[in-house]
Amino acid sequence: MKDATLALHLGYEKDKEKAMQVPIYMTTAYEYENTDHAAKLFDLEEEGNIYTRIGNPTTKVFEKRIAALERGVDALATSSGMAGVFYAVSNLVSSGDNIIISDKLYGGSITLSTQTLKRFGIAAKYFDVKNPESLENLIDEKTKLILFESIANPALSVPDFEKITQIAKKHSVITVCDNTLATPYSVKPIELGVDIVVHSASKYIVGNGSAIAGCLIEAPFAKDKLKTKRYPQFNTPDESYHGLIYNEKFDNPFISRARLALLRDFGAVISPFNSWLLILGLETLHLRIKAHSENAVKIVEFLSNHPKIKKVNYPFLKSDENYDLAKRYLKYAGGIISFELGSYEEAKEFVSKLKIFSLVTNISDSKSLVTHPASTTHQQLSKEELINAGVPEGLVRLSIGLEDVDDLVEDLKGAL
Ligand SMILES: *Cc1c(COP(=O)(O)O)cnc(C)c1O
């Protein structure tokens, strides 16, 4: 079956009530048939429901659907995108290890890698995503993963997937790609050799700014790397499960360990209600990502021809430095655009005059949003630091929604 059909039907078997929509199993726990049954579930001899912290039937439907759309063997939903990124990293590292991260990354993933994990004895090294060959000199025997984004938030850069995954394969290092801004309808990182995909499902997947959620997805071939001595936690007994060895027991060792060990112990579990919102979101994701992208392309055209605007950044704009890679890998460039006005004051005035766009530090809502990084997310930085961070003080970021594009263009025209 094709993606849109999978997104609407996969993984839901109707019970005797024949409900058309997946029921929300708003429950903490599940009854066992008897103590033998309970013992078998706890010993992983039999599959079944135990406790919603490690699994829930509503959440399972979402996990099956997102795994299929990303061509993974399995998926795990989490309470937020950051919990997903944290699980992807913490499933692979121990104190004394290091990770390699793209120099164009979401702010939360940067602070997690360079500040919080540092206190747990994990070192982070940046690689220049525009020069993936630089990875060769950064990988050592303690390197456990390479983290990058398919369309970076907020830089909007596009990576050379094949070069990164080739180098990672040569050294048997796991690659983790955050596919939040592109979605599987624009690019499927697993088809390009990526081992683990993560999402902030709070963005395009839920689609209307109604919930915080995340997920991670395991490629069928991730196990080839997990079997090497770089990843002992997958090849040696887990005493908390009577000596279970993840690579021996499972075809999906990465997700199994993330669920059985990390969700069990860290507990950043998604609410079944939020899983249900994600199921609704997936039903229309293929239509929405196309509509967001088509609206964005028209707005980019308008902005690039406006005399007040110094520069527009969008991966599908011919003059953009990411254009060639974007055209090679992406079906849609999504709804996020950034552009430069002459000064801090000009940007401030522009934002204050918008009527449809709301001033919000979020992206990928069905409603159009605007952000001025210099006065919000990057406020502490000096003029020089702003330029070095690729965030000039006149930079404005737009997240194009699903409104009629003519109204959006009118709004922008009025504010400019
Ligand atoms: C928003 C975002 C995150 C964090 O997701 P939350 O759901 O807000 O925790 C991670 N990566 C990217 C690319 C994002 O845009």
Side-chain angles (χ1 to χ4, degrees):
M1 276 189 278
K2 299 259 170 71
D3 285 350
T5 317
L6 293 170
L8 284 149
H9 294 279
L10 186 72
Y12 173 42
E13 281 162 39
K14 298 185 186 82
D15 66 11
K16 69 178 193 337
E17 309 296 348
K18 303 282 178 207
M20 279 303 292
Q21 192 47 271
V22 179
I24 308 173
Y25 285 95
M26 214 63 201
T27 182
T28 308
Y30 310 84
E31 188 180 10
Y32 310 117
E33 282 156 33
N34 48 50
T35 50
D36 286 345
H37 177 227
K40 278 186 185 159
L41 291 175
F42 269 77
D43 216 25
L44 309 177
E45 256 181 71
E46 210 176 285
E47 264 187 58
N49 298 319
I50 296 177
Y51 192 64
T52 282
R53 173 148 41 77
I54 55 172
N56 174 278
T58 308
T59 301
K60 191 90 234 158
V61 175
F62 168 71
E63 290 168 338
K64 283 187 174 162
R65 291 181 185 178
I66 191 67
L69 294 180
E70 288 284 13
R71 307 291 183 260
V73 273
D74 198 7
L76 181 78
T78 54
S79 59
S80 69
M82 280 319 301
V85 176
F86 175 61
Y87 282 6
V89 175
S90 56
N91 210 11
L92 297 168
V93 296
S94 300
S95 170
D97 288 339
N98 66 71
I99 66 175
I100 303 179
I101 61 173
S102 162
D103 58 351
K104 302 284 186 297
L105 219 53
Y106 175 70
S109 298
I110 295 176
T111 50
L112 169 70
S113 303
T114 61
Q115 307 294 325
T116 306
L117 288 174
K118 190 161 93 181
R119 308 197 60 219
F120 288 77
I122 314 296
K125 313 186 221 183
Y126 283 109
F127 81 102
D128 175 3
V129 74
K130 293 265 162 272
N131 173 23
E133 285 83 4
S134 63
L135 284 168
E136 282 285 2
N137 291 329
L138 292 170
I139 296 171
D140 61 35
E141 78 276 10
K142 291 283 187 189
T143 302
K144 299 302 161 89
L145 69 99
I146 299 165
L147 173 64
F148 62 103
E149 296 177 9
S150 51
I151 301 177
N153 177 17
L156 304 180
S157 63
V158 178
D160 190 327
F161 283 92
E162 282 149 312
K163 278 200 184 135
I164 295 172
T165 55
Q166 268 166 19
I167 296 170
K169 191 169 181 187
K170 189 172 133 197
H171 297 275
S172 278
V173 174
I174 291 278
T175 44
V176 179
C177 179
D178 184 331
N179 201 24
T180 299
L181 263 60
T183 84
Y185 288 106
S186 177
V187 63
K188 298 187 197 305
I190 288 175
E191 293 186 337
L192 299 165
V194 167
D195 300 291
I196 306 297
V197 174
V198 300
H199 278 277
S200 166
S202 326
K203 312 291 169 51
Y204 285 124
I205 290 180
V206 74
N208 47 28
S210 58
I212 295 283
C215 61
L216 41 156
I217 300 116
E218 173 177 1
F221 46 80
K223 192 173 175 177
D224 299 341
K225 289 179 186 164
L226 296 175
K227 275 187 189 153
T228 66
K229 62 176 192 298
R230 206 181 274 281
Y231 302 102
Q233 67 273 45
F234 290 90
N235 299 299
T236 50
D238 180 344
E239 295 312 333
S240 71
Y241 283 107
H242 295 310
L244 163 78
I245 297 175
Y246 290 96
N247 275 335
E248 286 179 6
K249 172 114 183 149
F250 301 107
D251 294 328
N252 55 343
F254 188 91
I255 294 296
S256 296
R257 188 171 184 276
R259 181 185 301 283
L260 296 171
L262 304 184
L263 258 191
R264 179 195 61 192
D265 299 346
F266 294 142
V269 65
I270 191 168
S271 155
F273 182 77
N274 283 357
S275 296
W276 183 78
L277 292 175
L278 302 186
I279 289 169
L280 295 192
L282 282 188
E283 291 191 349
T284 56
L285 181 59
H286 59 300
L287 302 174
R288 289 184 287 106
I289 195 67
K290 182 166 187 277
H292 281 287
S293 304
E294 286 172 359
N295 273 359
V297 165
K298 287 183 190 154
I299 285 170
V300 163
E301 204 177 287
F302 164 75
L303 295 172
S304 343
N305 291 314
H306 198 283
K308 274 206 176 157
I309 291 175
K310 296 211 297 194
K311 184 172 180 229
V312 180
N313 305 304
Y314 188 66
F316 275 8
L317 185 65
K318 265 222 173 76
S319 58
D320 195 282
E321 57 175 354
N322 298 288
Y323 183 78
D324 291 340
L325 288 170
K327 281 289 169 182
R328 189 183 322 159
Y329 293 122
L330 307 180
K331 185 164 177 209
Y332 303 110
I336 317 302
I337 302 168
S338 67
F339 66 91
E340 276 176 54
L341 287 168
S343 64
Y344 189 97
E345 290 310 314
E346 257 186 64
K348 199 171 135 183
E349 195 189 339
F350 166 77
V351 167
S352 72
K353 284 185 175 161
L354 288 165
K355 294 192 170 68
I356 298 175
F357 285 81
S358 305
L359 179 59
V360 171
T361 43
N362 186 26
I363 51 164
S364 311
D365 197 321
S366 45
K367 276 80 68 183
S368 289
L369 314 174
V370 60
T371 312
H372 178 221
S375 64
T376 53
T377 51
H378 293 67
Q379 197 201 110
Q380 325 81 311
L381 306 188
S382 69
K383 243 185 198 189
E384 289 71 44
E385 285 174 321
L386 283 171
I387 289 163
N388 289 340
V391 186
E393 55 174 3
L395 190 84
V396 173
R397 184 181 70 187
L398 301 177
S399 171
I400 306 301
L402 298 172
E403 299 93 342
D404 190 295
V405 70
D406 293 343
D407 291 328
L408 296 179
V409 169
E410 275 312 301
D411 197 25
L412 295 168
K413 209 185 264 176
L416 283 164

